Amino acid sequence: MSVSASLDIKLFGDKDFPPSELLSVLGGYGWSFFYEGSARYLPLGDDDDFDWKKDSVSEDELVAIVREKESLGEQVGVVMVWDDSGIGGEFLFRSPGEVSFNLSINRKVDECYITDVNWYVQKIVPAFIGAGFNVESLEFSQHM
């Protein structure tokens, strides 16, 4: 059975919400840019094609790509996994303060195979709050 799950987060506050800063916050909290030895991200010039690129760039090179995409007004997307758990997915940074997380890599589930959304919330929300961002809303969806 195919399952898709996502978590949408809307932030608000006195700060700007550049994707590079939000990624830095997540990276400093335990999320990694590297999955199976490489980075996966939406490359420069990806015009909503979602043609994810798998590359062996460094973290600094990935941040530079993200900053350039920001300056061009392009959608930023980066695959991240939690620590060494191998659990993660695609983070998409939409309009300012809107983060969409597709829970697609080794999705964390409970005993009934329902996505353990609390696990994800506990790994993301405290990072944003600790960095001075406020969470306006969380929306979880799962389709089987």
Side-chain angles (χ1 to χ4, degrees):
M1 169 178 22
S2 176
V3 175
S4 66
S6 65
L7 180 63
D8 295 319
I9 303 166
K10 183 158 177 116
L11 304 171
F12 74 96
D14 297 332
K15 293 181 158 191
D16 288 334
F17 304 102
S20 58
E21 184 176 347
L22 298 178
L23 283 169
S24 175
V25 166
L26 291 168
Y29 197 74
W31 288 92
S32 173
F33 297 108
F34 302 99
Y35 174 60
E36 296 180 338
S38 62
R40 292 176 172 97
Y41 57 94
L42 294 178
L44 287 166
D46 185 273
D47 188 25
D48 292 333
D49 292 328
F50 297 96
D51 187 16
W52 293 86
K53 184 173 184 176
K54 179 180 174 183
D55 202 352
S56 60
V57 297
S58 70
E59 187 172 329
D60 289 339
E61 290 169 315
L62 182 59
V63 169
I65 291 166
V66 167
R67 286 194 175 128
E68 188 167 350
K69 287 182 71 69
E70 285 173 354
S71 72
L72 295 171
E74 294 184 8
Q75 169 127 3
V76 173
V78 177
V79 169
M80 297 182 86
V81 293
W82 176 254
D83 201 20
D84 61 356
S85 70
I87 296 170
E90 299 88 10
F91 280 89
L92 294 173
F93 299 88
R94 303 201 179 271
S95 61
E98 293 185 15
V99 180
S100 192
F101 183 27
N102 183 25
L103 315 176
S104 61
I105 300 174
N106 300 316
R107 189 174 48 90
K108 180 82 168 158
V109 297
D110 64 16
E111 63 278 352
C112 297
Y113 298 101
I114 302 297
T115 302
D116 183 358
V117 68
N118 289 328
W119 185 91
Y120 293 95
V121 169
Q122 292 171 353
K123 305 289 190 268
I124 298 171
V125 171
F128 289 143
I129 291 173
F133 296 104
N134 298 300
V135 176
E136 180 177 318
S137 65
L138 297 170
E139 183 176 326
F140 168 73
S141 65
Q142 177 170 306
H143 302 279
M144 299 178 166

